[in-house]
Structures are given as C-alpha cells and as structure tokens.
Amino acid sequence: MTTRTQKTTRDLRWHNRADLLTRLYLGECTNRNDLASTSGLSAATISNVVSDLIADGLVGENGSQSSAGGRPRSLLRVLPDFGYVVGVDIAETAIRVGLFDWTLEPIAEEVRSVATAQVPPQKVADQILSEIAAVTARVGITPAGLLGVGVGVPGAGGAVIHAPTLGWSAVPLAGLLRDGLGFAPEVDNGAMALGQAEVWRGAARGSERAVTLLLGIGAGGALSMAAGPGGRARSFTLEWGHTVVDLDGPTCRCGARGCLETYIGAEAILARYAATRGSTPFATEGVVEQLTELVDRAVQHREPAARTVLDTTAGYLGAGISNLINLVAPDRVIISGWAGALLCQALLPAIRLIARRHALPYLFELARIEPGELGHTSGTLGAATLPVARLLADGGRRGPG
Amino acid sequence: MTTRTQKTTRDLRWHNRADLLTRLYLGECTNRNDLASTSGLSAATISNVVSDLIADGLVGENGSQSSAGGRPRSLLRVLPDFGYVVGVDIAETAIRVGLFDWTLEPIAEEVRSVATAQVPPQKVADQILSEIAAVTARVGITPAGLLGVGVGVPGAGGAVIHAPTLGWSAVPLAGLLRDGLGFAPEVDNGAMALGQAEVWRGAARGSERAVTLLLGIGAGGALSMAAGPGGRARSFTLEWGHTVVDLDGPTCRCGARGCLETYIGAEAILARYAATRGSTPFATEGVVEQLTELVDRAVQHREPAARTVLDTTAGYLGAGISNLINLVAPDRVIISGWAGALLCQALLPAIRLIARRHALPYLFELARIEPGELGHTSGTLGAATLPVARLLADGGRRGPG
DNA sequence: CTTCTTATTCCAAGACGTGATTGAACTCTC
DNA sequence: GAGAGTTCAATCACGTCTTGGAATAAGAAG
C-alpha cells in the first residue's frame, strides 16, 4: 500500500487516455461522440486525447458515418499494425505459440507436442523461446520488436509458478524467459487469460462477472470481473478442479482426496467408463481421441454404458458449477477447453438442469451457462490478452516490460 | 460502464483526499510525513488536503511527536465527534442496532429478540426503525443527523434482498427503511460487512484478501480484497453454506441437497449429536445454549459421543475451508459468528489440520486460519462499517444518501 | 448559394500537484 | 544561554489538466 495510482494532473491524462483507448479497443465506441457520452469527458478532452492516440499510431480515422443532417462523425478504429503480441499456451500435451497483431487477429502459429508434465521447466522455457523466435521470424521481426509476450500456465501466475498439473512448484518461469527475450513476459493462469479473451471476444462479452472453466485432463477456472465504477477490471484464478467433492473420494494427483478433478477430469471419465460393465475398448489412443469416441458412442450410438458415465459426469459438473455460482455469483459461466467443448456438445442441457437444482435460485437466474466460443486457438489467444491488457491499462505506452 | 471515476482535476483532489483520509482512519499514518511518503504525494499537497480535512472537522491535530532534532511532527487524528453511524444486524434470533461514532467506538446498543425468519419484512423494517429511533434518542440526535445507516443481512445485498435463511426473496428492505429514515441505508450481506470490520479492526488487519466465515444456524461467508495498485477495495459475498458437499446429502432449507450448511450449521450439528448413540439430552433450550453445552461436554468432560460429532464437524469445516482456499486464494480465513467462536474453541487445530490435508500446499501456506476477534458486537460493528466505507470513499462528504 | 445542423477544434478560465522557498519549532553544541 | 543545525509545515510561481463556450469544418436541405 505504498504507491498509488493517479496523483498528478499528468496521470489524469494517462488515465483518461487508457479509458478511451480501451473503449475503442473493445469496440464499445467508434467515434468521438460515443466516447464523450459514455466516458463522461467533454468533447474538447476527447479531441485532445484522440489526436494524441492518432499521433502515436494507436488509432486511425476510418471513413465517416453520416449523422442526422450535419457534419458526419469520423469513425475511429484501433490500428492493427501498431504492433504484435505473442501468446504462449502451456497445455497438457503441447506448447502452442501464437503471434497476433495487437487487435488479436491471428498472424501465425507454432505448435509442438510435448508432454509438458514430463519436461523440466528449463526445457519448457527453451522450447517456448525457440517457438517464439520461429513465429516472429515469419513476419520478419525479432522478439524485441514485440509489444509483449503472455504465457498461460495451468496453475498460479506471477513471478513464481505453482502448477500441480505439471508438477511445478515455485518455478521462476518469467525469469527463465526474460533471459532469452530481453524483457519479462506476463505469466499467468491460462484459465484467467482465457476468461479475459472470452470477455473481450467470446461468449462472455458484456459480462460483469464471468467464470471461465477450462476442462481437459485437469479442470481449471477463473473469475473475470469487469471494471465497475471506481475500480479496475480484476480477475483471479479458481482452483476449481481441486475442490473437494467427497471427503473419502479417490486420491488426486495433488495429493488430496475427492477432488472434483478426479470425477470430471478427462482421464477420470475414461477410467470410469473402462470400469463400467458394458464398456468396450476404444479404437483409438490418447485421451482426446478416446473422450471424443466416448461422447460419440453416447450421442450417436446411444450406448447405455457411455450414456451412464456421461450422465454421472454431468452430475458432478453441474454440482461443481452450482457451487461456483453460489460462491461468486457470476452472470456467465463459460465452459471451455477441449474436454469442455466435447462435454458441452453432449451434456449442456443436463449440466444446466443439475446446476439449477443445486444453486440458489436467485443466483442461478443471474448466471448463463454457455460453451466457450473461441475454439482451438483459445489458449494462445487468451495468453495474448495478457500483454494487451497491460498495454491498454497503460494507455498504449509502447515497449515490453 | 457509462460513468467513470476521475475526470476533472477536482475529482483528483477528492480522490487524494479520500486516500489520505482513509490512511488516517485506518491508522496507517499518523502525521503529515507518513502521509507524504506512503501516498507518494508531495508535502505541499498533503498540507493543502490536510488543512481541508481539519477545516471540515474530520481530522484534528493531537499533540506532537519529536523527531530527530528538528521541529516535531504534529500528530493527526481522526476526530470521533465528526458524527455517528448506526449498524443494524439482522441475526437469526434477534435484531441488534448499534450506535457508533464514526471511528466505530460503540456508544449505545438496542437488542430485541425476534425470530426474524417468522416475521414479515415490513415488520422487521418497523422494528429496525423503532430501535434506531431509540438508540439515537439516547445521544439526543435524530436519525437525520446520522452520517449513515448500515444493515447486515444474511443474504445478498443491494436494493433487493434475497435471504434463504429468512425466507426472503426480492425484499426491498432499503426502500422500506428509506421511507422511515428519510435517506437510504446501505444494506449488504452481514458476512461481507463483518469481513470489512475484521480487516479494519480485527483478525484480518493487514490482509490483502481475507475470507470471513459467519457460522451460526446458517453458514455465510465473504471475501474482502484490499485496494491493490489501480483498484479500489472490493468485497463480495460467498454463499458458502449452500455449497454442495454430497450430491445425495440431506435436503437443505434452500431446497437443494447436501449443502454444507446441513453438515456444519448449528442445528445440523445438534441433530447429528441427538442421533448418536451415547448422546444425552441437553439441560438447556435453544441452539446457542445447546451447542455451548455440546462443546463443553466434548472439551471439559471428554464425552466420546460429543467428541465424535465435533470431529466430524471439523472434517466438513476443514474441507469446506480448503475449498475456499483453493478457490479464492485468501491470505486469511476468519472464523466468526457465535457458532464459529464455539467451534474454534474446540476445533481450531483439527480444522487447520484437515484444511491443510485438502488444500493445495502453496495456497494453504498463504492462508492463516484464525478465529474472529470482534466478539458479540461484531454484527452491528460490521454493519456500521458500510456507511463509514462509503464516507471514506467519498473523502468525508457529509450527509447520508 | 444560403441556411441549418452536427461534429470537431480552439481558447481562456479555473483547479490541481509540484518543487523551491520561506517560516516555524525544536535540539544540540559551544 | 545563544547560535547553528535540523526537521516540519505553509506559501508561491509554474506547468498541466479539463471544461464550457465560441469558432470553425463539413455536409444536408431548401
């Protein structure tokens, strides 16, 4: 509590600049008039700040929009070529690196399959650095020319990473990467980053308070709170998968017993199916393929054993979601991740039903449960929002770090 | 997202004023030098703002503190007689109204026993108004002379109250009270209000992110987040008691099955004891007395049946707490409420042990589990923080509403 | 071409925080 | 006990900011 925001009149300008830039970036406003009315600033100030933004190459004028019989409004637009950002997704089975322009349009991608849990952190860092080098080389820039790099990890973010999924405990990933990049990347929880992406571009647009769930082998989550009056947007990680569902349940890889992850994690679902009478062996290898097949058997072929396993899964998912609804009162619950997409396909109505049964009615009414909308690039896209968010908060001050 | 904070230079002044006032109020700073160094503002500004605060009667100079061989610092102190606030606690068995000066020193209290769940909201409101009238009369003021009124309810706050405990659904309590008071009170969740009180004055002092649990017949909770760089303090309610612990558990009064409240609520504990072999009838009537007796039997008389029931309770409490730790990563977990106090007395080490077993280690390390420190006035005290918090955020602009 | 309407920019005024300077209050040393 | 040194507090000139209103730009309607 030593330093604070907003002291001098100059900071005021940066504050307003960040505000206006964010509105333009998110598409809430497209002209100076909108900016004036929604921000509460005077037209004069809008004019000043916008011309600064234009001078700095962040924003451009792009045609005009005729108004009721007067001078037309000139349309303002965030300029994509202001710079590039990189999003790194440390997933369970691969490291994905995506290059985006700062409006989050995808430019290039590198994917390398790695069982990340079995590789030492230094190796992971090296892998990431080489992918970043590859992906930036394609547009002829160096990492130093990036606006920033964001890394999404399946665990707690910050200077030191804890990720039970990867067996990481206090790994200084940001430090390892800084040495190779020349500046510090923003490392944070992948579900949190994804949540921001869903709020900006996906199923949580317009949400004040969204929970994003990331289902795969593990089950992560995050809460994204919009900037209310008098406060910045904030988000934080929910280690939802390691919530206890049954005091005497099976032992989780985190060491505790009865974690939700041991019921709704992809491997847990498959194990439950394998242990069921009436199950038949899969034709494929790999969790992703097998879960796909399981869902297929339940949905297409109406196989009772598969159906039962999925119904049980829906029960746990629904209850787990209702707990989140009761705890954080979200207005949106986004189910994402590869397993999330598969399960939604088969179980969304069932999940909603069960969640309704367990959540407090007035809280359930607030919460819309929806599948994620960002598809298979969601991981890198989410990670890429991290440096962009910082850039916006800074009003577009260039340069990483 | 239409209006925003901080536009003009005048707002800047109010912002700084609120900042400095808050620091003085919370005792973080006691002189102009402290203010300058911790706030980052220049001595000149401190001087200006402080003289405004003094002129408005919020702050006074109170002696001096010698410094290393120079002019002594004059000590600054928030003046209690700036005004009064009222805190109203709508508890399970009573309505308590406390009158405090704005530094939260208790002045007077009114308690009326009411089974609040069995009284229509309008009656509750009338009851509150008459108690407020009584308590203010004792210092010779009228409600209109108050700085504000805060009301803590066992449910969701805002203009419309949902409180399963009371059977309230969409009750416009603030509106009902406004008609009698002449201004709108601040109605919010009691656990949330209590959390703020624990952060300001109790076991959560210095916490960045505290979870406060309110245990009684029901089990409420709240998360209080300190003002980080770039954001105001925020808190929200956690309907922790209605978190599902067992999909097939007993039916809760909220309608769902297996809520935590049906395991750790005071009545549930007593019921579990009554159903145990080896239990003997209580000598007393009433939940509070009976739970006291139960704890006494377990601790003083080492009665096995009582011990077993409490151990089971500790298991659920510990698991429920570990879930909160995993979800919101608090640095403090405060166990409060009358039942909380009793249970802590008997079970704190057991609860800690079980929570450690289920929480992720790096998150458990962050979280200190402590009993609440505010005693039996905590409910009204918590409620009283609501108007004070608003007052501080406004930099001390007088007048309710 | 003129007038009307709406968008944007220009300008003077008012407010704020800052750094430097001045004044105030106390301690220490000679 | 007087003067030097030190630390705290208030004042002032300066640069920056937002604002409201006036002025200008740009198209529509007549």
Side-chain angles (χ1 to χ4, degrees), chain A residues 1-9 12 15-16 19 23 28 37-41 155-156 162-164 208-209 223 225-240 242-247 254-257 259 315-316 319 322-324 326-328 357-363, chain B residues 1-9 12 15-16 19 23 28 37-41 155-156 162-164 208-209 223 225-240 242-247 254-257 259 315-316 319 322-324 326-328 357-363:
Chain A
M1 265 283 262
T2 301
T3 25
R4 273 192 65 88
T5 177
Q6 296 268 155
K7 293 166 321 219
T8 164
T9 53
L12 193 52
H15 178 85
N16 286 333
D19 180 26
R23 286 172 201 277
E28 289 172 18
S37 56
T38 63
S39 72
L41 291 163
H162 300 272
E208 286 293 307
R209 196 186 260 232
L223 174 65
M225 292 177 288
R232 267 220 191 301
R234 276 198 199 185
S235 32
F236 58 85
T237 304
L238 307 163
E239 282 290 1
W240 184 59
H242 299 288
T243 277
V244 185
V245 174
D246 183 347
L247 284 172
C254 78
R257 298 185 61 179
C259 288
Y316 286 113
S322 70
N323 284 350
L324 285 179
N326 283 349
L327 284 176
V328 304
R357 200 138 64 204
H358 285 96
L360 293 174
Y362 71 94
L363 292 176
Chain B
M1 263 281 262
T2 300
T3 26
R4 272 193 65 89
T5 177
Q6 295 270 155
K7 294 164 322 218
T8 164
T9 53
L12 193 52
H15 178 85
N16 287 332
D19 180 26
R23 286 173 200 276
E28 289 173 17
S37 56
T38 63
S39 71
L41 291 162
H162 300 272
E208 286 293 307
R209 195 185 260 233
L223 173 65
M225 292 177 288
R232 267 219 191 301
R234 276 198 199 187
S235 32
F236 58 85
T237 303
L238 307 164
E239 281 289 1
W240 183 59
H242 299 287
T243 277
V244 186
V245 175
D246 184 345
L247 284 173
C254 77
R257 297 184 61 178
C259 289
Y316 287 112
S322 70
N323 284 350
L324 285 180
N326 283 348
L327 284 176
V328 303
R357 200 137 66 203
H358 285 97
L360 293 174
Y362 72 93
L363 292 176

Side-chain angles (χ1 to χ4, degrees), chain B residues 246-340:
Chain B
D246 184 345
L247 284 173
D248 305 314
T251 301
C252 175
R253 55 183 165 178
C254 77
R257 297 184 61 178
C259 289
L260 184 61
E261 189 174 305
T262 64
Y263 295 92
I264 64 162
E267 288 178 344
I269 297 173
L270 293 175
R272 215 164 43 240
Y273 178 69
T276 308
R277 266 197 328 156
S279 68
T280 45
F282 291 111
T284 50
E285 291 268 342
V287 252
V288 182
E289 293 75 14
Q290 292 187 348
L291 190 65
T292 311
E293 210 177 325
L294 176 63
V295 169
D296 198 55
R297 285 184 191 178
V299 175
Q300 301 291 330
H301 307 296
R302 307 188 170 282
E303 184 192 297
R307 197 68 237 181
T308 306
V309 166
L310 288 191
D311 285 345
T312 313
T313 307
Y316 287 112
L317 262 175
I321 290 174
S322 70
N323 284 350
L324 285 180
I325 291 176
N326 283 348
L327 284 176
V328 303
D331 56 8
R332 219 72 63 88
V333 177
I334 311 298
I335 302 176
S336 186
W338 63 268

Side-chain angles (χ1 to χ4, degrees), chain A residues 107-134:
Chain A
I107 307 289
E109 194 184 24
E110 286 277 324
V111 184
R112 238 166 279 179
S113 295
V114 185
T116 39
Q118 277 140 48
V119 177
Q122 180 65 60
K123 275 265 157 72
V124 171
D126 292 342
Q127 191 78 257
I128 290 171
L129 289 171
S130 90
E131 289 190 60
I132 292 178

Side-chain angles (χ1 to χ4, degrees), chain B residues 40-107:
Chain B
L41 291 162
S42 71
T45 300
I46 302 290
S47 192
N48 286 331
V49 174
V50 168
S51 43
D52 284 0
L53 290 174
I54 291 174
D56 291 349
L58 286 151
V59 170
E61 292 188 311
N62 182 38
S64 56
Q65 176 189 35
S66 73
S67 63
R71 173 174 170 176
R73 295 180 264 275
S74 56
L75 287 172
L76 298 174
R77 196 173 52 104
V78 153
L79 294 179
D81 40 328
F82 176 68
Y84 299 100
V85 293
V86 159
V88 179
D89 179 23
I90 305 185
E92 290 152 339
T93 58
I95 296 174
R96 288 196 178 77
V97 171
L99 178 69
F100 300 85
D101 68 38
W102 82 294
T103 68
L104 297 179
E105 283 304 306
I107 307 290

Side-chain angles (χ1 to χ4, degrees), chain B residues 190-207:
Chain B
M192 206 182 90
L194 175 58
Q196 189 153 64
E198 292 281 359
V199 169
W200 284 0
R201 297 268 190 275
R205 253 171 306 206
S207 161

Side-chain angles (χ1 to χ4, degrees), chain A residues 6-271:
Chain A
Q6 296 268 155
K7 293 166 321 219
T8 164
T9 53
R10 233 200 211 104
D11 298 326
L12 193 52
R13 168 59 70 97
W14 281 106
H15 178 85
N16 286 333
R17 178 174 157 140
D19 180 26
L20 298 183
L21 180 59
T22 303
R23 286 172 201 277
L24 289 171
Y25 185 85
L26 296 180
E28 289 172 18
C29 303
T30 57
N31 59 57
R32 292 180 177 80
N33 253 22
D34 279 359
L35 287 172
S37 56
T38 63
S39 72
L41 291 163
S42 70
T45 300
I46 302 289
S47 191
N48 286 331
V49 174
V50 167
S51 43
D52 284 358
L53 290 173
I54 291 174
D56 291 348
L58 286 150
V59 170
E61 291 188 311
N62 183 38
S64 57
Q65 177 189 33
S66 73
S67 62
R71 173 174 172 174
R73 296 180 264 276
S74 58
L75 287 172
L76 298 174
R77 197 174 50 105
V78 154
L79 294 178
D81 40 328
F82 177 68
Y84 299 101
V85 292
V86 159
V88 179
D89 179 23
I90 304 185
E92 290 152 340
T93 59
I95 296 175
R96 288 194 177 77
V97 172
L99 178 70
F100 301 84
D101 69 36
W102 83 293
T103 67
L104 297 180
E105 283 305 306
I107 307 289
E109 194 184 24
E110 286 277 324
V111 184
R112 238 166 279 179
S113 295
V114 185
T116 39
Q118 277 140 48
V119 177
Q122 180 65 60
K123 275 265 157 72
V124 171
D126 292 342
Q127 191 78 257
I128 290 171
L129 289 171
S130 90
E131 289 190 60
I132 292 178
V135 90
T136 48
R138 291 209 224 158
V139 294
I141 59 171
T142 62
L146 293 169
L147 292 173
V149 169
V151 184
V153 294
V160 170
I161 306 299
H162 300 272
T165 309
L166 304 179
W168 286 12
S169 167
V171 171
L173 184 63
L176 295 177
L177 292 172
R178 185 182 46 228
D179 296 341
L181 286 171
F183 58 89
E186 324 238 336
V187 185
D188 222 319
N189 180 266
M192 206 181 89
L194 175 59
Q196 189 153 64
E198 291 281 0
V199 169
W200 284 0
R201 298 268 189 275
R205 252 173 305 207
S207 161
E208 286 293 307
R209 196 186 260 232
V211 163
T212 306
L213 303 178
L214 195 49
L215 303 184
I217 297 174
L223 174 65
S224 312
M225 292 177 288
R232 267 220 191 301
R234 276 198 199 185
S235 32
F236 58 85
T237 304
L238 307 163
E239 282 290 1
W240 184 59
H242 299 288
T243 277
V244 185
V245 174
D246 183 347
L247 284 172
D248 305 314
T251 301
C252 175
R253 57 183 165 178
C254 78
R257 298 185 61 179
C259 288
L260 184 61
E261 189 173 304
T262 64
Y263 295 93
I264 64 161
E267 288 178 344
I269 297 173
L270 293 174

